[in-house]
Amino acid sequence: MFENLSMLALQQYWWVLVSVLAALFVFLTFVQGGQTLLYTIGKTEAEKTIILNTLGRKWEFTFTTLVTFGGAFFASFPLFYSTSFGGAYWVWLAILIVFVIQAVAYEYRKKPANLLGAKTFEIFLVLNGLLGTILIGTAVGTFFNGAMFSLNDLNQVQWQTPFRGLEAVLTFHNVALGLAVFFLARILGLLYFIFTVDNEAIVTRSRKQMLVNSALFLVFFLYFLVWLILKEGFAVAPENGVVSMEKFKYLHNLLQMPLVLVILLVGVFGVLWGIISTIFMNSLKGFIFAGAGTVLTVLALFFVAGFNNTAFYPSVYDLQSSLTIQNASSSKFTLVAMSYVSLLIPFVLAYIVYFWRAINSKKITDEEMKEESHVY
Amino acid sequence: MIEIADASLVDWSRAQFALTAMYHWVFVPLTLGITFILAFMETLYVKTGNEEWKKITKFWMTIFGINFAIGVATGIILEFEFGTNWSNYSWFVGDIFGAPLAIEGILAFFMESTFIAIMFFGWNKVGRKTHLLATWLTAIGANLSALWILVANGWMQKPVGMVFNPETARNEMQSFWDVLFSQTAVDKWLHATSSGFVLASVFVIGISAWYLLKNREIMLAKKSIVVASVFGLLSSVYLVWTGDNSARTIAHDQPMKFAALEGLYNGSEGAGLVAIGMFSSNVADPTNENLKDFSMKLEIPNFLSYMAFLDWDAFVPGVHDLINGNEKYGYMSANEKIERGKVAIAKLGEFKEAKKAGNDSLATALKAELTSADFQNNYFKYFGYGYFTNTNDLIPNVPLTFYSFHIMVGLGFFFILLFILSLIYIWKGTFEKKKWFMKMAIISIPLAYVASQAGWIVAEVGRQPWVVQDLMPTISAVTKISSGSVMLTFWLFAVLFTVLLIAELKIMFRQIKIGPKH
């Protein structure tokens, strides 16, 4: 069945899948956001234990989604993989290192004879939450602002700055997205505590933290969004693939793809409703709205970056080296083969959701921490 | 068009990849095997209802958790390093190599991470049978994760199922099944996973022996030894069988690696297998300091010919036959391959020039020539050789490959003996009386890790100078970046992983000392 699709349709299908993985990843960074709130919300050892256990049962999903995002991007758009990872070397390695230290921190923090002490592992988790979200958000910002690279005849990347990607922080628009992701992750973390923890002190403190984090999120997110709508974008001529600058490109994308505009608006509304219902209406279920809203918002942003004849990984050094979903993709054969594999994704999602609910069926309490055999 | 990276960049990039791969492989084999041991133990618990089995399962699960966390930590680096450090490689073969990595994530990693959470936190939240199912699925998920990355590795050792596209300057997949079911990939998966089963069995027996030596946790230790010995013995027999198959595949597809792992310089009919050998400092070949004479060797006549081709008198080519060529037995000389590789590279360059100049008719003609079966089989097949000038660069490090291979094989047979004795002694009820054996079992744990690492040295050092056999040399696969940057990240990872390893070992030793919860 996939064989009959056009090459472009397959490329679009895979851009949707990569976007879905990115969207799920940002939603799942509630784990990272929650980690940065460890000391703000957890005042006693028992409270910290509850916080790290409610997050600790989910950290692997975030981690696995990131790894799968990398793998799926490699399979479907290998030129992005080789260009960005090889080019923006320092950014990606910094991101990886903060995920390495996360992976051991939950398991080792409370174990006797852990060499570095509980505090160090807690700092690992805070660093992962802080740098992981900001760096990934900033790196994705370059999808809209471009990076400094060129490709040679063999499609091999030549990076044009010695900072190997770190120069992305010099563009405030990139950093604004990084900070928006960071504060969004914290909001989601707070909402997750409220949603899953049965402990009054934690819930009360989480509610209190909502206001300031939401305000900061809105500042950076709205700055990012407004500037995105107003700025020039990287347009691709469909007939010959030539890349050029177009005024209000991303605004045009939203207007020319009304469905994406709707997804974006519904997504932003979902996040706002999650926040408002929690702060002003004492709701316990803000996490569901804000989580779903996050998925939709990120999805829409990725669609704006890659669809409607737009270069999703533009080069400001050499416009014609910019990556589009057409020039960066795998061959038709590989896209078709991978598309068959993708039919299993709903099944994978179904069992994840089923067992997620089995673990979350009851709220997490102090008593459970005392009885449970595997506690972080 | 061709740019070769400077030697220090290649060396540092290789060092970094070797470092992360070897650290990762410290933790992976135990995960591959112990998850099945956990599944057996929990199955016994569910079948018998004996709480003792539940306690045993939970104890080994704790040990597994400590190991698993650091395995995950070291694994994420590897996946992204293909891009960060080997970006030219990532493009040249990404169309084939990316797919297994994506499938690994979608099908295996999620399975592993979902069910591991149930395994650890689900004891009081899901039913007994559901929990058991989760434990089994964790084991299957872990071993499926290994499948996909080994399919990718197998493809690099023996590229199949693809065709080169001059337009995109990369190899493109033509048959998914050829890639998945390539003999090299299947051999690799079976051999690597079963080596994990053996390592985990040695691990469980060794720690149980320590308890018996200390005269504590007697019940746990004995029951664990029974499960691990049976699993270990079956796995190790299987391991030898899969290893034997791998040897034949290597002899066929990577004759230079085969010659290196046996230290065979001059090929012969009815070649003997060096069972034990030591290299001297004398150089066997004045043009290449890498080729050292044997100072001592114990050879089994004709055995190598049989191992390679199932024929006691078959000709096995040595390093010199592969470099200088051997007309009688149909081996092309390295110089000839280099010439053909250069023709392929030049032709691709001409095509790119024609495209750039807008000379469409010439470009079309060149593309037709490049993609013709004749050109693919006689020239493109040797594409990677075109990067070399010195034929000595085509020979891997012989002593390192030879020693690693022999250490791996020797220890493999030693473990079979360990499992047999272990079963006999536990059967007779004399295990805890044999102090020497219990000590040997404990010492066997690090030996299992040595054997496991040695196996990967054979596989990866033995195939140098290739990243993709005959098509892409390591020197052209690397990301163009300052070698100082890679040196810095090498040391960063070296320090980070070493600190985490020490933490892991300390935690592990302490948990073993504490023992199961009573």
Side-chain angles (χ1 to χ4, degrees):
Chain A
M1 80 194 189
F2 288 105
E3 291 86 343
N4 300 325
L5 290 179
S6 71
M7 186 66 183
L8 182 62
L10 284 165
Q11 287 160 334
Q12 289 171 336
Y13 175 67
W14 272 94
W15 186 254
V16 172
L17 289 184
V18 166
S19 306
V20 167
L21 281 167
L24 289 175
F25 172 76
V26 177
F27 157 62
L28 290 166
T29 56
F30 73 83
V31 172
Q32 272 66 25
Q35 285 166 191
T36 64
L37 292 154
L38 179 62
Y39 296 116
T40 320
I41 304 295
K43 296 292 179 197
T44 65
E45 196 51 41
E47 287 166 1
K48 280 200 289 181
T49 300
I50 289 192
I51 288 171
L52 289 182
N53 275 277
T54 195
L55 296 174
R57 294 171 185 188
K58 303 299 174 207
W59 77 266
E60 274 187 49
F61 286 114
T62 318
F63 199 93
T64 306
T65 308
L66 177 63
V67 173
T68 306
F69 173 76
F73 229 140
F74 193 4
S76 50
F77 300 99
L79 193 54
F80 170 77
Y81 191 89
S82 62
T83 304
S84 182
F85 290 97
Y89 188 78
W90 281 112
V91 175
W92 290 110
L93 281 181
I95 290 170
L96 292 179
I97 287 174
V98 297
F99 277 89
V100 169
I101 56 177
Q102 182 205 25
V104 288
Y106 282 104
E107 187 71 33
Y108 292 179
R109 183 183 76 102
K110 269 289 197 54
K111 292 270 187 319
N114 65 8
L115 183 71
L116 304 171
K119 186 92 181 173
T120 309
F121 288 107
E122 286 166 10
I123 291 169
F124 281 179
L125 291 174
V126 174
L127 281 177
N128 167 255
L130 179 76
L131 296 176
T133 50
I134 294 179
L135 285 172
I136 288 180
T138 307
V140 172
T142 61
F143 281 27
F144 303 99
N145 293 305
M148 294 287 286
F149 65 88
S150 63
L151 299 175
N152 69 8
D153 277 355
L154 296 178
N155 271 330
Q156 297 171 337
V157 60
Q158 264 105 39
W159 206 259
Q160 303 295 341
T161 80
F163 310 107
R164 303 295 296 206
L166 290 178
E167 68 278 358
V169 301
L170 299 175
T171 305
F172 184 69
H173 195 229
N174 293 335
V175 181
L177 184 59
L179 290 170
V181 171
F182 169 66
F183 286 109
L184 178 61
R186 279 168 71 94
I187 293 169
L188 291 168
L190 292 166
L191 292 173
Y192 190 68
F193 295 152
I194 296 169
F195 186 51
T196 59
V197 175
D198 185 7
N199 176 304
E200 223 187 300
I202 290 178
V203 172
T204 311
R205 269 181 228 129
S206 297
R207 279 190 197 284
K208 242 172 104 182
Q209 277 292 317
M210 279 297 292
L211 202 57
V212 62
N213 282 288
S214 303
L216 287 165
F217 162 69
L218 284 175
V219 168
F220 291 112
F221 180 70
L222 289 177
Y223 170 83
F224 173 80
L225 198 62
V226 170
W227 184 241
L228 181 72
I229 288 168
L230 297 177
K231 80 187 283 293
E232 281 189 312
F234 302 82
V236 186
E239 60 284 358
N240 55 14
V242 171
V243 181
S244 61
M245 299 309 292
E246 181 185 319
K247 286 210 162 108
F248 301 106
K249 172 63 181 160
Y250 301 108
L251 176 63
H252 292 161
N253 282 1
L254 283 171
L255 296 175
Q256 284 159 11
M257 300 186 289
L259 182 62
V260 176
L261 180 63
V262 171
I263 295 175
L264 180 67
L265 292 176
V266 172
V268 173
F269 178 77
V271 173
L272 291 177
W273 181 250
I275 293 170
I276 292 167
S277 65
T278 305
I279 298 179
F280 300 108
M281 297 154 76
N282 263 347
S283 165
L284 295 173
K285 299 200 164 146
F287 179 72
I288 295 173
F289 293 103
T294 301
V295 171
L296 294 177
T297 307
V298 178
L299 210 51
L301 287 177
F302 265 72
F303 291 168
V304 168
F307 285 154
N308 200 34
N309 301 312
T310 313
F312 74 86
Y313 195 59
S315 167
V316 281
Y317 175 83
D318 169 29
L319 270 188
Q320 302 320 317
S321 287
S322 299
L323 308 191
T324 67
I325 62 169
Q326 276 154 297
N327 68 18
S329 89
S330 292
S331 66
K332 184 163 184 185
F333 185 93
T334 297
L335 290 178
V336 169
M338 290 302 302
S339 297
Y340 280 106
V341 174
S342 75
L343 293 176
L344 293 165
I345 292 177
F347 170 73
V348 174
L349 281 175
Y351 75 67
I352 290 175
V353 170
Y354 179 81
F355 284 103
W356 175 301
R357 291 170 64 118
I359 291 287
N360 281 33
S361 58
K362 271 184 259 156
K363 286 204 172 193
I364 194 164
T365 59
D366 250 344
E367 287 69 49
E368 192 192 334
M369 292 297 94
K370 284 167 198 148
E371 289 162 17
E372 182 60 58
S373 57
H374 197 94
V375 178
Y376 288 133
Chain B
M1 185 170 73
I2 290 210
E3 294 171 69
I4 301 254
D6 73 276
S8 85
L9 171 62
V10 179
D11 289 345
W12 280 111
S13 303
R14 279 186 69 194
Q16 179 168 314
F17 201 85
L19 175 89
T20 37
M22 289 178 89
Y23 261 107
H24 187 50
W25 193 252
V26 171
F27 313 106
V28 173
L30 182 61
T31 293
L32 294 177
I34 206 167
T35 44
F36 274 116
I37 293 179
L38 289 173
F40 298 141
M41 289 170 168
E42 195 178 335
T43 305
L44 287 167
Y45 162 61
V46 172
K47 285 260 174 218
T48 61
N50 181 347
E51 287 293 320
E52 191 74 28
W53 279 115
K54 185 178 180 183
K55 195 176 89 181
I56 295 171
T57 310
K58 279 191 163 185
F59 169 71
W60 292 111
M61 218 172 254
T62 306
I63 300 294
F64 161 66
I66 297 163
N67 176 73
F68 184 74
I70 189 163
V72 172
T74 47
I76 192 171
I77 300 286
L78 272 185
E79 187 202 7
F80 288 92
E81 252 174 15
F82 294 119
T84 55
N85 293 84
W86 306 98
S87 66
N88 292 348
Y89 163 83
S90 292
W91 174 248
F92 191 66
V93 304
D95 195 59
I96 302 119
F97 194 83
L101 286 195
I103 300 173
E104 182 179 32
I106 295 167
L107 296 187
F109 287 161
F110 276 114
M111 191 171 180
E112 209 178 347
S113 54
T114 303
F115 293 107
I116 225 170
I118 301 293
M119 205 169 96
F120 282 135
F121 307 110
W123 286 106
N124 305 321
K125 295 192 178 73
V126 297
R128 225 188 245 197
K129 284 194 173 153
T130 311
H131 192 275
L132 178 63
L133 178 71
T135 307
W136 274 101
L137 288 173
T138 303
I140 293 167
N143 283 273
L144 280 181
S145 305
L147 168 69
W148 295 103
I149 189 67
L150 291 170
V151 163
N153 182 276
W155 185 85
M156 295 161 82
Q157 314 265 355
K158 165 81 176 162
V160 287
M162 85 303 181
V163 67
F164 183 75
N165 180 351
E167 296 273 359
T168 52
R170 68 173 176 190
N171 291 286
E172 296 183 353
M173 205 192 308
Q174 274 201 316
S175 167
F176 180 74
W177 303 117
D178 281 359
V179 174
L180 178 57
F181 293 119
S182 126
Q183 191 59 45
T184 313
V186 172
D187 285 346
K188 270 205 171 292
W189 181 55
L190 297 178
H191 194 59
T193 49
S194 50
S195 81
F197 303 163
V198 169
L199 180 137
S201 303
V202 172
F203 182 89
V204 169
I205 292 173
I207 289 167
S208 303
W210 184 79
Y211 281 135
L212 291 180
L213 206 59
K214 295 272 161 199
N215 201 20
R216 49 179 286 212
E217 322 299 346
I218 307 291
M219 193 57 107
L220 174 140
K222 284 185 169 177
K223 280 187 179 334
S224 299
I225 289 170
V226 173
V227 173
S229 303
V230 173
F231 184 51
L233 184 59
L234 294 175
S235 305
S236 55
V237 172
Y238 186 63
L239 182 68
V240 171
W241 182 69
T242 55
D244 183 53
N245 279 344
S246 295
R248 246 184 315 287
T249 312
I250 293 170
H252 188 263
D253 298 331
Q254 298 173 296
M256 183 61 90
K257 183 198 269 187
F258 194 77
L261 58 82
E262 264 300 308
L264 185 70
Y265 301 142
N266 296 307
S268 68
E269 289 180 359
L273 177 99
V274 180
I276 302 170
M278 288 276 282
F279 289 99
S280 72
S281 52
N282 298 336
V283 177
D285 177 345
T287 64
N288 190 340
E289 57 181 28
N290 218 350
L291 306 182
K292 301 274 196 293
D293 260 336
F294 278 103
S295 61
M296 170 289 258
K297 67 175 170 181
L298 183 71
E299 209 174 75
I300 311 174
N302 294 67
F303 215 79
L304 191 64
S305 289
Y306 188 77
M307 190 167 109
F309 301 107
L310 294 179
D311 172 357
W312 297 104
D313 298 316
F315 177 79
V316 182
V319 172
H320 289 138
D321 303 282
L322 296 165
I323 293 295
N324 304 328
N326 186 326
E327 261 180 56
K328 186 177 167 197
Y329 295 99
Y331 291 96
M332 190 190 284
S333 76
N335 275 324
E336 175 67 26
K337 290 179 182 174
I338 290 174
E339 287 313 311
R340 291 184 181 214
K342 288 198 195 304
V343 170
I345 291 171
K347 196 65 84 183
L348 178 63
E350 281 173 42
F351 168 76
K352 288 283 173 193
E353 285 303 316
K355 282 289 270 192
K356 229 189 260 175
N359 191 343
D360 286 344
S361 59
L362 180 62
T364 312
L366 284 166
K367 186 180 173 184
E369 192 184 345
L370 274 162
T371 47
S372 70
D374 175 61
F375 193 85
Q376 290 278 320
N377 293 332
N378 292 313
Y379 293 94
F380 184 74
K381 196 177 161 193
Y382 307 105
F383 187 85
Y385 285 92
Y387 289 89
F388 291 95
T389 46
N390 183 350
T391 53
N392 277 336
D393 293 341
L394 296 165
I395 305 167
N397 186 326
V398 174
L400 184 57
T401 315
F402 175 90
Y403 285 131
S404 303
F405 177 67
H406 286 78
I407 287 170
M408 171 186 78
V409 173
L411 286 173
F413 284 103
F414 166 72
F415 299 139
I416 295 184
L417 182 71
L418 180 85
F419 295 134
I420 292 175
L421 288 178
S422 178
L423 266 180
I424 292 174
Y425 293 150
I426 206 88
W427 188 264
K428 285 180 156 175
T430 55
F431 198 105
E432 64 267 46
K433 289 177 197 125
K434 309 240 180 250
K435 273 203 169 163
W436 66 271
F437 185 72
M438 290 187 276
K439 284 181 185 160
M440 189 174 93
I442 297 167
I443 296 167
S444 298
I445 298 177
L447 293 180
Y449 283 92
V450 169
S452 202
Q453 295 283 344
W456 275 109
I457 294 174
V458 174
E460 301 303 298
V461 173
R463 69 153 144 155
Q464 290 303 320
W466 302 109
V467 164
V468 182
Q469 186 72 36
D470 294 352
L471 293 182
M472 185 173 230
T474 315
I475 45 173
S476 74
V478 73
T479 301
K480 238 184 105 187
I481 186 171
S482 73
S483 59
S485 295
V486 185
M487 189 171 82
L488 187 58
T489 48
F490 170 87
W491 287 114
L492 264 172
F493 286 133
V495 171
L496 180 63
F497 289 159
T498 306
V499 169
L500 294 183
L501 174 69
I502 295 169
E504 194 252 3
L505 289 174
K506 283 191 67 175
I507 294 171
M508 185 90 92
F509 289 148
R510 179 61 64 89
Q511 285 297 322
I512 291 166
K513 225 176 210 175
I514 294 170
K517 289 193 179 110
H518 290 282

